[in-house]
Amino acid sequence: ILGSMKATDLPGKAFHPVSTPADARAAVAKVKGNGATVIKLYLLNHDQPDGGKGLSGANFDAAVAEAKRLGLHPLVHIESASDFRRAAA
């Protein structure tokens, strides 16, 4: 639910695009800094040749490690069996 927000208002607030593991760790820290206790991560067919539409495996691993380090509980949206295996590891 966006309310009065527009989709273009989301990056950096409710949506944090990342390109590298360092970006992923920084995004998690920003979410924690905003007072969150959980973080939603997206693995969307991460093992496909095009990289899928969510986090890459390396970015996911970095985000999960940082979330756990900061005491956040990661919730993971998955779309494939491979995504499930990585999220459950």
Side-chain angles (χ1 to χ4, degrees), residues 3 9 14-15 18 28 32 45 51 57 61 65 75:
D9 294 332
F15 173 74
V18 300
V28 170
K32 173 68 174 181
N45 298 302
D61 293 346
L75 304 173

Side-chain angles (χ1 to χ4, degrees), residues 54-80:
L55 292 167
S56 69
N59 292 345
F60 174 78
D61 293 346
V64 169
E66 185 70 0
K68 289 179 178 180
R69 187 183 77 76
L70 296 175
L72 288 172
H73 301 284
L75 304 173
V76 185
H77 179 102
I78 61 170
E79 291 199 345
S80 70

Side-chain angles (χ1 to χ4, degrees), residues 1-2 5 9-17 30-31 34 40 42:
I1 300 173
L2 295 176
M5 291 181 69
D9 294 332
L10 295 177
K13 295 179 183 160
F15 173 74
H16 302 273
K30 184 173 183 177
V31 169
N34 287 336
K40 178 91 180 250
Y42 290 84

Side-chain angles (χ1 to χ4, degrees), residues 14-58:
F15 173 74
H16 302 273
V18 300
S19 299
T20 67
D23 290 346
R25 288 188 292 274
V28 170
K30 184 173 183 177
V31 169
K32 173 68 174 181
N34 287 336
T37 57
V38 299
I39 187 164
K40 178 91 180 250
L41 303 173
Y42 290 84
L43 274 179
L44 308 176
N45 298 302
H46 76 282
D47 60 340
Q48 296 301 305
D50 67 357
K53 297 191 187 306
L55 292 167
S56 69

